[in-house]
Amino acid sequence: MDAFPSIPGLLPELEASRASELVGGSIPTLGSAHDDLSDRAAPVLRTADTVWQRYVSYERLHHHLLISSAEQRALATYLPEPLVDDLIETRRLGAQAVPMYGARRLYLMARLRPGDVTDDDLSELGWTDEQARRDFWHRVRDGDVTVLKDRRGLEPVQLSLLDDLDRVKATRRVPSTLVGQTWLWPMLERLTPGQAQSQTGQDHGFGSWISVRRMLRGLRGAHHYEIRGNAMNAARLFEQVRVQAIQHRAVPSPAGWEARNIAAYLLMRKDRSGQHATEALEEISPGLDSRHLPEDRLSSSARRSLEHNRSVLRTLNSGLESGHVLNPYLVLGVPDQAPTDVWRSAWRTLRRELDEDGEALVNEAKDAVQAMERGHAASGPFLVPLNQQRWQDPPAGAVPAARGAQPMPRRNPPATAEQKAFSMDQAAIGLINAARHHAGLPVLADINDDLTSEDDNR
């Protein structure tokens, strides 16, 4: 190769200049194009030009000089993969080097843009550590308390969160730093089965949220026991809910209104004569003292539910017909005004599970729902809660998940001397082939001849 520049006429001017740069040891340049490298040029000359461009890009990158994003992507698919890993670890290749397609795309994305790797991609890559880290966030979001026992492979921020959650479990006290992350609420709810206490700081509505959910869960549990003939447990839970409602009825928030609404429901639940209708109506009347949240600060859906329930109580004030079910949806264990297919499915399941007395209770609830749907009922259901959506699990949009994903470890050993010389060797072969083409000789077959695709080349 050293003799090429000194042999007149052996190479065209451009290739001769490049041969001089190749053996001269300086940072090479692209040189200027000429007509011979047009689309009509011989493939061997176009290939020689392309491998020279790759060589120039690599040498510039190797000497800490900037190259374009397109050049980075080209090198990421052209160079031997161990060498690409070396360039990533020395920060010479960045996120823009991820190719748009090809066999290396997924691996390089995991190395350079791990947050963009999907859960399905993790399986394809066999990246079990990152899968475990992501599963951690999902398990915490879903309130899976067993996650507290498994600390293997987790990042420091995840281990720190586990420490905080362990303290919550032990003390039943929830720091404001956790309360402010609404996606954690289902987990905090499960870790504080009794009354949770928020430490100094903003409550962010967590105390109200967890209190109302516990009252609703108690109501559902009481009805569950009642239709199964367990009168003692049913009575115990109904009484617990009544006490909780009394405790929270003065809370100046939507939770206070929910507590009063539940208290009214419990007053009327078994009232066949209507003697408690006036008292129940007073529970949810707007004439409250200044300690309570004004009704006009409730959501529009909660205000509509309140007015509906007042109308139900006024209708029932004259006495209830035999067999009336104040809220048949609660008896069936489904949300208020659930679609027909939902409550019917629940009713069929319960019929198969219950004895005759229990079956009679759920049949009574089924008949009540049908009468309401057909417009034959004296009144609609007494809605509990007033605002279904407010007390559901908060949206999971803030879950950290892949936001802090760590780059995937390299899968290759450090590049060998031969791999580091790859681009120079290819450039040399390209120039040799150009000389052989110019002399009318057959070209060498050792050059990588698939240089236009972003495909794998180890």
Side-chain angles (χ1 to χ4, degrees):
M1 192 73 196
D2 290 349
F4 277 21
S6 62
I7 303 177
L10 181 62
L11 286 172
E13 181 181 353
L14 180 61
E15 280 79 8
S17 173
R18 289 174 173 178
S20 296
E21 290 182 347
L22 189 68
V23 299
S26 60
I27 300 176
T29 61
L30 289 177
S32 57
H34 51 62
D35 292 342
D36 288 343
L37 295 183
S38 67
D39 290 342
R40 295 186 300 276
V44 63
L45 298 180
R46 291 202 302 271
T47 298
D49 187 62
T50 300
V51 295
W52 182 262
Q53 293 178 45
R54 300 289 187 270
Y55 168 60
V56 172
S57 296
Y58 172 69
E59 287 297 314
R60 288 180 61 81
L61 202 65
H62 183 67
H63 288 86
H64 300 277
L65 298 176
L66 294 177
I67 64 174
S68 68
S69 297
E71 289 174 300
Q72 288 204 36
R73 289 194 297 271
L75 285 182
T77 56
Y78 172 68
L79 297 174
E81 195 172 272
L83 182 56
V84 173
D85 277 332
D86 287 353
L87 293 172
I88 290 172
E89 293 190 348
T90 55
R91 299 178 182 271
R92 290 185 173 96
L93 285 178
Q96 63 269 36
V98 177
M100 291 179 284
Y101 50 86
R104 287 187 188 175
R105 180 177 186 275
L106 189 54
Y107 172 65
L108 292 178
M109 183 181 293
R111 296 277 284 132
L112 294 166
R113 298 204 314 256
D116 292 342
V117 178
T118 67
D119 291 346
D120 289 340
D121 291 339
L122 294 178
S123 299
E124 183 176 339
L125 286 166
W127 194 5
T128 55
D129 286 348
E130 180 61 21
Q131 187 68 63
R133 286 190 287 268
R134 293 196 192 181
D135 286 346
F136 168 85
W137 294 120
H138 296 314
R139 291 170 66 191
V140 172
R141 177 201 63 192
D142 296 339
D144 180 2
V145 295
T146 64
V147 74
L148 273 65
K149 301 176 182 179
D150 190 359
R151 293 173 172 255
R152 292 171 299 177
L154 299 182
E155 299 170 358
V157 65
Q158 295 173 320
L159 294 173
S160 177
L161 176 58
L162 283 185
D163 290 340
D164 290 340
L165 294 176
D166 277 332
R167 283 191 288 272
V168 170
K169 183 179 180 181
T171 64
R172 304 284 176 85
R173 294 180 63 82
V174 184
S176 58
T177 53
L178 298 186
V179 168
Q181 302 180 63
T182 55
W183 70 276
L184 283 175
W185 287 8
M187 173 63 83
L188 298 176
E189 180 183 33
R190 287 166 176 79
L191 293 177
T192 56
Q195 183 63 38
Q197 299 180 25
S198 296
Q199 294 178 358
T200 303
Q202 294 295 318
D203 179 76
H204 297 279
F206 172 70
S208 296
W209 179 83
I210 198 171
S211 298
V212 172
R213 283 167 66 94
R214 282 175 178 154
M215 286 188 283
L216 295 175
R217 191 159 50 249
L219 272 184
R220 289 192 292 269
H223 281 291
H224 172 90
Y225 283 126
E226 187 174 54
I227 63 177
R228 285 166 175 78
N230 193 332
M232 183 178 298
N233 280 340
R236 176 180 57 81
L237 279 180
F238 278 128
E239 178 59 17
Q240 284 182 6
V241 174
R242 188 188 70 81
V243 170
Q244 291 170 357
I246 292 173
Q247 291 172 343
H248 291 91
R249 61 200 298 272
V251 173
S253 73
W257 280 100
E258 294 287 3
R260 289 190 288 278
N261 189 63
I262 289 172
Y265 172 79
L266 292 175
L267 279 170
M268 292 295 296
R269 190 180 66 87
K270 288 293 187 180
D271 186 357
R272 300 298 183 181
S273 64
Q275 60 179 344
H276 296 298
T278 300
E279 184 182 355
L281 192 55
E282 289 175 355
E283 281 284 355
I284 57 174
S285 292
L288 303 169
D289 61 43
S290 59
R291 294 175 302 170
H292 301 133
L293 182 72
E295 184 177 343
D296 59 8
R297 292 180 58 186
L298 293 174
S299 67
S300 58
S301 60
R303 293 198 302 271
R304 286 193 299 270
S305 296
L306 263 177
E307 192 51 47
H308 168 85
N309 285 354
R310 289 168 186 156
S311 175
V312 170
L313 294 178
R314 293 187 192 104
T315 300
L316 301 177
N317 195 25
S318 59
L320 307 181
E321 68 275 16
S322 176
H324 177 82
V325 182
L326 192 60
N327 187 315
Y329 298 101
L330 270 175
V331 176
L332 295 173
V334 297
D336 284 347
Q337 298 172 325
T340 302
D341 60 331
V342 173
W343 70 256
R344 277 191 175 277
S345 176
W347 167 68
R348 292 190 184 101
T349 300
L350 289 171
R351 285 185 63 198
R352 292 192 293 269
E353 297 175 353
L354 301 175
D355 60 18
E356 289 185 4
D357 292 338
E359 185 178 357
L361 289 175
V362 297
N363 283 341
E364 188 178 53
K366 181 263 297 183
D367 293 340
V369 174
Q370 284 184 328
M372 292 173 186
E373 289 184 341
R374 296 168 183 172
H376 298 159
S379 66
F382 187 95
L383 300 175
V384 181
L386 297 170
N387 186 346
Q388 290 272 6
Q389 187 174 4
R390 186 182 185 92
W391 315 113
Q392 293 173 353
D393 287 350
V399 178
R403 190 173 59 199
Q406 297 298 310
M408 182 180 182
R410 63 185 295 161
R411 64 187 180 188
N412 303 289
T416 64
E418 181 182 1
Q419 290 168 332
K420 291 177 181 178
F422 173 80
S423 65
M424 176 182 283
D425 291 345
Q426 292 288 293
I429 295 173
L431 292 175
I432 292 171
N433 279 342
R436 294 175 71 88
H437 172 76
H438 188 67
L441 299 173
V443 300
L444 303 176
D446 293 344
I447 200 166
N448 175 16
D449 59 0
D450 185 14
L451 299 165
T452 58
S453 70
E454 294 186 346
D455 207 350
D456 194 15
N457 170 32
R458 296 191 181 225

